[in-house]
Amino acid sequence: MNCDDIRRELEPYVNGELDDDAAMQVAEHLRDCGECSLRHAQMSRLAQRLKGLTDAYRPIRDFEEGIMQVKQPGARHERPQREGFWRARGWAAAAAVLALCLIGAVVVASVPALARQLPLPVGSRLGDLETTSKQAQLQNHQMQGQIDKLKIEIKDIRSKLVSVIQTSKNPLSADVNYAVQSVVMQFVEAQYAGDLKKMKSLSTPAMQAEIDAHPQDYLRDKSGQVTFAQMTDVSKSGDTYLEFVRLIDTKTFNESQYQEDFELLKVGDRYLVNVEGMDA
Amino acid sequence: MDDRFLVARARAGDDSAFAALIKAHERSLYCTALSLLRSSWEASDAVQEAFLEAYSKLQTLREPAKFRPWLARILVNICYQMLGRGRRTVPVEEVPERAAHVFIGSEESLDLMAALRSLDEEHRWVVALRYFHDLKVDEIAAIMDCPAGTVKSRLNRALEKLNARLAGTIQKEVAE
């Protein structure tokens, strides 16, 4: 075997995965070839460091307990630098309530459902699950009360009838609502059409750059049909217009709804998407 | 303790055995998820989802000796789903929990993880499955649904890139 052949086998050699004959050939070559020998030493060191990487992270809490605590689907986390998205806290809180209520049934159902799937009776753990379930039901009940106080109306937006929930204490004008919601709707439709050009035409330069950098983050399954389940009315914080949309599609998200969160800026007389985030 | 023994006990209803499996594999799963996903929170979510799924499907595992690659495959699928979902945000009233893991390693370990996260996705997968889960080339090929030769060449290429991106620190360590 020449140096190229040997180097191809170095990785399995370092990890003890070559058969005896092949390992012997590599070992003999390494004795005679300084360059391959150096590569072998470097690869061994790198392999050792990679294997040691798992010791560099310690769990804070015990997953033995965590495994029984089914988290709410809404409780997803985001990178801290995007905190600015949540400036309109009061409005966003209402929208969060909306999100949790719409998926609440899934939360409550999933806990006992999980318990039923467990291989054998889980004794006291089942009791914990039931407690969690009851807490979720109570939380849902309280949230339902808040939802009942919200005003919902059916609106015709771009020839689609959409349930719009009023979450703002001081609603913006109907014109602003229609304009912003139309842009958001067109953006979502472009996501499902795989139309990056259209998405960018509805975006600020910053968002255009973001789409160019991570197009896959913004495209949805082209074969799916999307339904606008619910939208919030438009809220404004500083110069930023905020809009939440709950969606269902016939492909990727056909079992449960999901949400897209939009932040728009007014540029001239147009409203342009400046941030789009996805939420469970 | 041997995975087979723990799997057998867990299947018989012994939760402490499943907890032992979690403890044995949790760091490997976390490192894999962290190398693939966008944040430590997503990684922790993926690990938790993987264990929940493993717990509920343990009876379907045909060969208890293959628990490690089976669990890795579950995590791979979850990570793919999470990557496919795009960016996610958190409702405002949900105060972000602390990440479920804390970094306790050296600066070199941080550099190594950063270098790994900078690789192409296909290279990150093979390195993670190889070095965090200690899987054989054939097992990785089965999970990634590609020929063993592809896994070998990706591993070689990935290690070359890592070596280059660590800007000579490995070479220096070897020279010492």
Side-chain angles (χ1 to χ4, degrees):
Chain A
M1 288 201 281
N2 61 29
C3 288
D4 285 343
D5 297 330
I6 292 295
R7 285 173 195 176
R8 269 196 292 276
E9 299 302 327
L10 271 185
E11 202 279 339
Y13 176 74
V14 164
N15 286 291
E17 216 181 43
L18 291 183
D19 61 38
D20 290 348
D21 286 347
M24 189 74 79
Q25 284 187 59
V26 173
E28 283 173 7
H29 182 94
L30 293 179
R31 268 200 301 275
D32 301 329
C33 178
E35 200 170 329
C36 287
S37 178
L38 180 61
R39 285 206 178 209
H40 169 246
Q42 290 173 350
M43 190 171 282
S44 298
R45 180 70 190 135
L46 186 53
Q48 192 184 341
R49 279 183 56 182
L50 281 166
K51 284 178 180 168
L53 208 47
T54 53
D55 292 329
Y57 296 89
R58 181 171 56 81
I60 291 175
R61 59 187 165 77
D62 197 342
F63 263 81
E64 179 191 355
E65 294 167 14
I67 191 88
M68 294 301 175
Q69 294 168 2
V70 181
K71 294 168 71 178
Q72 292 176 342
R76 296 300 183 196
H77 306 291
E78 169 61 348
R79 291 171 293 193
Q81 62 263 32
R82 294 179 63 81
E83 273 179 4
F85 188 72
W86 306 105
R87 284 190 291 267
R89 295 183 69 84
W91 166 81
V97 168
L98 155 72
L100 286 168
C101 279
L102 285 169
I103 56 180
V106 179
V107 178
V108 175
S110 68
V111 177
L114 172 67
R116 279 198 299 275
Q117 287 171 28
L118 299 180
L120 282 171
V122 291
S124 61
R125 305 278 179 181
L126 191 58
D128 295 344
L129 284 167
E130 283 169 353
T131 303
T132 309
S133 172
K134 280 174 188 161
Q135 286 169 348
Q137 280 176 324
L138 180 62
Q139 193 180 19
N140 265 17
H141 181 70
Q142 290 167 342
M143 287 178 171
Q144 188 60 49
Q146 294 178 49
I147 276 288
D148 289 343
K149 291 177 190 162
L150 295 171
K151 189 176 164 188
I152 299 176
E153 57 184 323
I154 305 295
K155 280 189 178 173
D156 181 342
I157 305 172
R158 297 185 68 248
S159 303
K160 282 191 171 72
L161 292 178
V162 183
S163 155
V164 175
I165 186 161
Q166 184 186 313
T167 55
S168 309
K169 284 183 181 168
N170 301 305
L172 296 166
S173 74
D175 288 349
V176 172
N177 269 282
Y178 188 85
V180 170
Q181 286 163 342
S182 295
V183 169
V184 164
M185 206 176 248
Q186 289 177 70
F187 189 94
V188 172
E189 286 168 352
Q191 286 181 289
Y192 275 90
D195 191 346
L196 286 168
K197 196 175 164 189
K198 176 76 175 174
M199 287 157 65
K200 285 166 67 178
S201 76
L202 298 164
S203 301
T204 61
M207 184 64 185
Q208 288 173 9
E210 171 69 14
I211 292 171
D212 282 336
H214 308 285
Q216 293 308 320
D217 281 359
Y218 295 98
L219 292 173
R220 304 287 177 260
D221 191 332
K222 278 170 76 173
S223 58
Q225 284 191 333
V226 64
T227 300
F228 293 84
Q230 199 148 43
M231 299 176 85
T232 57
D233 64 351
V234 180
S235 179
K236 192 176 180 192
S237 172
D239 296 333
T240 304
Y241 296 82
L242 300 139
E243 173 67 41
F244 271 9
V245 195
R246 292 204 63 81
L247 301 157
I248 314 168
D249 69 34
T250 52
K251 289 289 178 183
T252 315
F253 300 98
N254 55 347
E255 290 178 358
S256 64
Q257 294 156 316
Y258 78 104
Q259 183 166 301
E260 291 200 27
D261 310 331
F262 285 88
E263 190 174 311
L264 293 89
L265 294 176
K266 190 170 186 186
V267 181
D269 59 352
R270 296 183 66 204
Y271 296 92
L272 298 174
V273 175
N274 196 42
V275 172
E276 183 270 345
M278 203 169 174
D279 196 4
Chain B
M1 200 178 288
D2 191 282
D3 278 356
R4 283 175 299 182
F5 177 66
L6 291 172
V7 169
R9 277 178 45 193
R11 280 176 154 177
D14 181 351
D15 274 357
S16 67
F18 194 79
L21 285 168
I22 291 173
K23 280 182 178 158
H25 297 284
E26 189 239 339
R27 292 184 187 206
S28 304
L29 261 62
Y30 178 73
C31 280
T32 298
L34 185 62
S35 62
L36 266 299
L37 300 174
R38 301 171 190 89
S39 70
S40 55
W41 295 301
E42 271 198 337
S44 294
D45 275 358
V47 173
Q48 177 145 330
E49 282 185 38
F51 280 124
L52 282 168
E53 191 170 331
Y55 192 57
S56 65
K57 292 184 176 171
L58 201 57
Q59 298 292 0
T60 68
L61 172 61
R62 288 179 193 165
E63 297 177 67
K66 301 266 185 187
F67 178 76
R68 200 151 33 90
W70 179 77
L71 183 61
R73 185 191 287 270
I74 288 174
L75 181 75
V76 166
N77 289 337
I78 288 169
C79 288
Y80 271 138
Q81 285 167 17
M82 290 176 86
L83 287 167
R85 275 181 219 160
R87 295 181 305 152
R88 302 193 295 176
T89 51
V90 56
V92 67
E93 292 303 280
E94 299 289 340
V95 177
E97 295 169 17
R98 288 186 303 167
H101 297 75
V102 61
F103 179 78
I104 54 167
S106 61
E107 197 175 324
E108 287 76 20
S109 299
L110 263 187
D111 291 343
L112 182 57
M113 180 54 90
L116 176 59
R117 284 167 62 94
S118 73
L119 297 182
D120 295 340
E121 193 178 310
E122 62 182 28
H123 289 131
R124 279 181 275 164
W125 277 123
V126 291
V127 169
L129 293 172
R130 179 69 147 178
Y131 291 98
F132 302 154
H133 299 266
D134 200 21
L135 297 186
K136 295 182 186 308
V137 167
D138 289 344
E139 291 172 327
I140 299 171
I143 290 174
M144 302 308 296
D145 195 21
C146 67
T150 305
V151 173
K152 278 172 76 172
S153 61
R154 282 180 187 171
L155 276 169
N156 266 321
R157 185 83 187 111
L159 293 190
E160 278 173 20
K161 285 184 172 181
L162 278 180
N163 221 356
R165 286 179 195 191
L166 289 170
T169 57
I170 294 288
Q171 289 89 327
K172 195 177 164 193
E173 284 177 26
V174 168
E176 286 168 355

